[in-house]
Amino acid sequence: MTCRVLNLARQPYYRWLAAPVSERELAQAYLANALFDAHRDDPEYGYRLLADEAREASHVACDRTMWRVCRDGRWWSVFGKKRSKNGKRPGPPAHDDLVLRDFTAAAPNELWLTDITEHPTSVGKVYRLNADAGVALAG
């Protein structure tokens, strides 16, 4: 009656009732236990070294599976890189605001503005000053 009320087929229910834990889930649990034991013994190990320890304990899985199990268990190396914070506030300005965000000039050649374009390269960023706009000056 419960299967009919919940609109479930009977066959998968009885299959689950006969074997509530599949072979795959059982193998994943044993792998997670081996990775957890290796992490508890050496918390400075990352997932690659934890995977090597699990392989020595005769657990077979690919690196991606080992990484996923470590990620789900939150077993990271104590020497891991710091994570960036979302919504981080910008740092202080790189220069003084000489015009105090007021871009109106009373006379010609009193205030000049420029545009700096940022170009990413393989070795870092290159900044180019837009020659048509001039140089930022405040008089």
Side-chain angles (χ1 to χ4, degrees):
M1 175 159 323
T2 305
C3 290
R4 190 169 6 112
V5 170
L6 295 175
N7 198 17
L8 297 174
R10 281 190 245 151
Q11 185 179 8
Y13 169 72
Y14 286 113
R15 189 181 319 134
W16 172 82
L17 199 58
V21 179
S22 69
E23 291 291 325
R24 182 177 180 271
E25 290 172 337
L26 191 60
Q28 292 286 319
Y30 284 133
L31 175 63
N33 285 339
L35 290 171
F36 176 74
D37 291 341
H39 178 70
R40 187 183 55 216
D41 293 342
D42 293 312
E44 65 271 2
Y45 281 3
Y47 83 92
R48 289 184 179 102
L49 292 173
L50 293 177
D52 292 342
E53 292 285 325
R55 286 188 185 103
E56 287 177 10
S58 71
H59 290 280
V60 179
C62 66
D63 284 340
R64 179 71 179 172
T65 301
M66 302 270 194
W67 173 82
R68 183 182 47 78
V69 171
C70 289
R71 181 205 60 195
D72 292 345
R74 296 178 171 243
W75 303 319
W76 294 296
S77 171
V78 294
F79 300 119
K81 61 183 177 180
K82 292 184 179 179
R83 296 178 166 258
S84 63
K85 297 178 183 173
N86 291 337
K88 187 166 70 170
R89 296 178 184 240
H95 55 80
D96 294 334
D97 186 8
L98 300 176
V99 295
L100 302 174
R101 310 303 292 167
D102 182 20
F103 299 109
T104 56
N109 288 332
E110 191 174 287
L111 177 67
W112 286 60
L113 303 173
T114 185
D115 179 28
I116 298 175
T117 307
E118 179 181 285
H119 299 283
T121 64
S122 62
V123 294
K125 293 180 182 176
V126 175
Y127 298 94
R128 184 178 70 88
L129 198 63
N130 189 352
D132 298 336
V135 179
L137 298 173

